[in-house]
Amino acid sequence: MDNYQTISLTDLRFYAYHGVEPQERIIGAEYSVSATMYADVTKAAQTDNVCDTVNYASVALSVKKIMDQPKNLLESVAYNIIQELFSQYSIIKAATVTVSKL
């Protein structure tokens, strides 16, 4: 990742309805999501234009969209978030996502 910079969103909070047990889908719980994206943002640094980088406000909205879709497993949630990030931004070369039930 030598040529890449990191863009991180840490501890985004959501109330969601993930889980295998029926009560988890009814009661819900608070979750924390953190995402670190690795991208070459050299162009954005030179142009100072948000269109040339990963727009963290857009990323947060995408994470919310995924969190609003109940899943059995947090692994599925994290996978869907990563897939959404890759589909939105071709400059993202790698990403890590942590989904925690609080």
Side-chain angles (χ1 to χ4, degrees):
M1 300 292 162
D2 292 338
N3 296 332
Y4 301 120
Q5 294 79 40
T6 60
I7 299 170
S8 297
L9 285 91
T10 305
D11 198 26
L12 300 172
R13 298 289 180 106
F14 301 94
Y15 202 87
Y17 298 87
H18 306 297
V20 175
E21 299 300 324
Q23 68 270 19
E24 293 176 294
R25 295 289 182 102
I26 295 168
I27 297 169
E30 190 174 2
Y31 294 84
S32 171
V33 178
S34 296
T36 300
M37 296 144 287
Y38 302 89
D40 183 352
V41 296
T42 303
K43 183 176 179 183
Q46 294 168 346
T47 65
D48 196 32
N49 187 334
V50 71
C51 294
D52 295 328
T53 191
V54 177
N55 182 332
Y56 58 84
S58 177
V59 169
L61 288 174
S62 293
V63 172
K64 181 185 178 340
K65 180 179 83 171
I66 301 297
M67 290 300 292
D68 286 345
Q69 301 168 8
K71 297 287 183 193
N72 288 330
L73 302 176
L74 296 185
E75 294 86 344
S76 294
V77 176
Y79 177 84
N80 288 328
I81 291 169
I82 287 176
Q83 293 306 307
E84 181 70 17
L85 295 175
F86 286 146
S87 72
Q88 268 190 322
Y89 295 101
S90 61
I91 68 168
I92 295 176
K93 301 306 178 195
T96 59
V97 170
T98 303
V99 181
S100 304
K101 185 175 183 178
L102 305 177

